[in-house]
Amino acid sequence: MSIILPSIIRPQAATMKISPTLEINELVAEARASGQNVVHLGFGEATFPLPPAILDEHRKHVASTSYMPVAGLSELRESIATFSTRRLGVLVEPEQVVVAPGSKPLLFALFDILEGDVLLPRPSWVSYGPQVNHAGKQLFWVETEDDRHTITETSLNAAFDGAIAAGANPRIMLTNTPSNPTGRAFDEATITVISDFCRGKGIVLISDEIYSDLCYDPDFSRLSPYTQLTTENEGQSTTCIITGGLSKTYSAGGWRIGYSIFPRSVAGQALQSAVLSYASENWSAASAPAQKAAALAFQPSAEMDLYRQRAVTLHRACTTRLYSALAGLGLDVPEPQGAFYLYPSFSPWTAQLQYLGVHDSNALAKWLIREFGVATLPGTAFGEDDMDGPPAGRYRLRMATSYLYFENEQERYVRGFGLMEDAAEGKEVALPMLEEAVARLKTVIERLKGIKVEKIDW
């Protein structure tokens, strides 16, 4: 006899699952532990060696165990403000900065605190949607163009009108550029479209710029809706909050340092105050040694500028090489403009995949890791709908190149700086794991080519 127990979990929490990015990382680790040889394209963790000065700064303060201020270490807030002022071309004061143990908690706080429902581009990073749902808000997708990144005025208005028609209250939007999962970056025209829309509809915009320092074209690093939403009389954005962090640029995800920049408007200050109260009852403060090290990382200096330039160059070298290989195999893949992601579609092989019983991107990802030892993330994890969504979003996989450099932590520091320097000097960089990934993907396409079926048109 079975006993039915009453639910003790809120409905919003009951729908949440382990983040697909962390889940794939654990699955790959288990597969490797059992002896399976897996090429890991599934997890987007930057893995370059940290600058020695930052490591030394962390070691120097490892005995600092006291709580830091809720808003963050003053020196770190000053460094972030100075760094952001230089990047954005508008004044950012230290008082506008809030530091947290990663940008994820800040996004959770913003979704919890802000009024209204949420507009989100499709596709988007795997954690945005669950965060919105956990906050008890409704999510409405803004459909992107065929590159799965570009947003138009038409798509924005369609999402807004659809939300209103559904009885929702769309007052929040989040964007991410360069994008996880596509590696694409907004140009100035697209940012203008987004900014004008948010200004006209009275929508609060959260601009996740965690990858802004990894734009392949440095001019794109300076593009932000924050600057376009700046009012002439106040000199600050009235409707835009920036989130960023240490993890992607400096390969320090485990240190958990994120930040938000709030506008100096009355509404911005009220929101910042609410976030600080939320933080004081939640995470309290980020790690003291990590904040000390991050303060040095964000200080403008020739050493840190050179490190960031070399990091971008190596990411670009590896990611564009994989892009060229995927395009050469006949896959529909947008050309990356930043970060370390690619977002190919296997839709040219729809008939063959359906013959194999592979009917969506989730099944495709499972087929690749089971049959070929290639780990990826399915487009469905990023909001794509293989059944009823636009054809351009079907059979998409996100591939990350960030795990294609080193076999282990020791190799990271033995070879890492040499790879970064070689790439910066324009030398051909030897990346055996990249070559292995390309070889396996070629095998995948050869398998599909061998299946003779009639082509399917969407």
Side-chain angles (χ1 to χ4, degrees), residues 124-416:
S124 282
W125 178 50
V126 299
S127 291
Y128 297 143
Q131 289 175 351
V132 171
N133 293 335
H134 188 266
K137 301 180 184 300
Q138 295 186 69
L139 187 158
F140 295 89
W141 292 111
V142 178
E143 292 296 349
T144 53
E145 296 295 281
D146 286 353
D147 67 352
R148 308 311 290 148
H149 182 61
T150 300
I151 295 172
T152 66
E153 183 179 1
T154 300
S155 63
L156 287 167
N157 286 323
F160 182 87
D161 293 344
I164 295 296
N169 181 24
R171 293 181 60 184
I172 308 164
M173 182 172 174
L174 185 147
T175 58
N176 171 221
T177 183
S179 157
N180 177 3
T182 69
R184 300 285 290 173
F186 290 139
D187 58 20
E188 190 165 8
T190 301
I191 289 178
T192 297
V193 167
I194 294 168
S195 300
D196 288 348
F197 169 80
C198 290
R199 185 186 295 111
K201 300 293 187 183
I203 288 174
V204 175
L205 179 62
I206 304 169
S207 182
D208 184 352
E209 300 180 13
I210 191 76
Y211 298 101
S212 60
D213 297 324
L214 298 181
C215 288
Y216 302 160
D217 182 341
D219 288 339
F220 277 75
S221 295
R222 305 182 186 98
L223 298 178
S224 170
Y226 186 91
T227 58
Q228 291 209 6
L229 289 169
T230 295
T231 59
E232 294 180 3
N233 58 331
E234 291 182 322
Q236 284 294 317
S237 164
T238 56
T239 54
C240 183
I241 304 102
I242 289 176
T243 61
L246 191 73
S247 61
K248 307 304 180 181
T249 306
Y250 288 96
S251 300
W255 283 5
R256 309 310 302 138
I257 295 293
Y259 65 83
S260 286
I261 297 173
F262 293 85
R264 289 189 300 187
S265 63
V266 173
Q269 291 176 355
L271 176 58
Q272 183 176 0
S273 178
V275 168
L276 287 172
S277 297
Y278 185 103
S280 72
E281 305 293 358
N282 190 321
W283 59 80
S284 298
S287 158
Q291 288 199 60
K292 291 282 189 178
L296 179 62
F298 284 111
Q299 281 181 7
S301 69
E303 180 184 2
M304 296 305 150
D305 287 348
L306 180 62
Y307 176 86
R308 286 190 295 272
Q309 291 167 7
R310 288 180 171 177
V312 171
T313 303
L314 184 52
H315 280 308
R316 179 176 186 172
C318 181
T319 306
T320 54
R321 278 166 61 179
L322 184 55
Y323 160 76
S324 296
L326 293 171
L329 291 172
L331 298 177
D332 174 16
V333 54
E335 184 174 1
Q337 296 169 300
F340 32 79
Y341 300 116
L342 293 160
Y343 199 53
S345 171
F346 281 68
S347 58
W349 305 100
T350 295
Q352 290 83 354
L353 290 169
Q354 294 199 357
Y355 175 84
L356 293 170
V358 177
H359 297 291
D360 57 26
S361 62
N362 189 49
L364 175 59
K366 290 179 179 179
W367 182 65
L368 285 184
I369 194 168
R370 182 181 66 248
E371 297 292 327
F372 304 93
V374 177
T376 63
L377 279 184
T380 51
F382 300 88
E384 300 283 17
D385 184 346
D386 285 282
M387 300 297 107
D388 300 317
R394 298 174 188 174
Y395 283 118
R396 291 278 178 185
L397 297 176
R398 194 210 66 183
M399 299 182 180
T401 59
S402 51
Y403 271 21
L404 297 179
Y405 300 100
F406 316 112
E407 294 283 357
N408 51 51
E409 192 74 8
Q410 181 181 5
E411 188 178 329
R412 173 186 182 186
Y413 281 91
V414 170
R415 297 183 57 238

Side-chain angles (χ1 to χ4, degrees), residues 10 29 49 54 80 94 108 202 228 263 275 282 355 376 422 448 458:
R10 292 175 61 228
I54 295 179
I80 292 170
F108 256 110
Q228 291 209 6
V275 168
N282 190 321
Y355 175 84
T376 63
D422 286 348
L448 294 173
W458 294 107

